[in-house]
Amino acid sequence: MDRLKTTIAAVLEVDVAAIGDDASPETLPDWDSVKQMNIVLAVEDEFDVRFKDEAIENLSSYALIRQELASMGVALS
């Protein structure tokens, strides 16, 4: 199971199957600016990381969050 997709789905209160690789505010109507910050906080808690302030504004999709975590050396499984 993809922990990142599970985390995002939990915040958005949607089925994990709704979180595709293209998941973003453009593809998921429930992903608004408030949920965006909640996603960031939930991901930080789930993976025990802290994003740099300048990175947070760019974490606006599943792919970008995944890329940022990978650049931090975080295993996503």
Side-chain angles (χ1 to χ4, degrees):
M1 181 67 59
D2 184 321
R3 285 172 53 203
L4 180 55
K5 286 184 180 182
T6 302
T7 302
I8 293 171
V11 172
L12 297 177
E13 299 175 350
V14 298
D15 189 279
V16 72
I19 310 299
D21 291 341
D22 64 341
S24 71
E26 289 76 35
T27 62
L28 295 164
D30 292 333
W31 189 328
D32 60 19
S33 59
V34 173
K35 295 279 178 93
Q36 170 67 29
M37 285 309 303
N38 290 339
I39 288 168
V40 169
L41 294 171
V43 169
E44 286 182 332
D45 287 344
E46 176 66 26
F47 293 95
D48 195 26
V49 297
R50 291 294 170 252
F51 295 115
K52 294 180 180 172
D53 289 343
E54 57 271 14
I56 290 174
E57 66 187 53
N58 297 320
L59 301 177
S60 59
S61 72
Y62 167 79
L64 291 172
I65 296 169
R66 185 176 178 91
Q67 180 181 3
E68 183 66 22
L69 287 170
S71 76
M72 298 169 76
V74 175
L76 299 176
S77 56

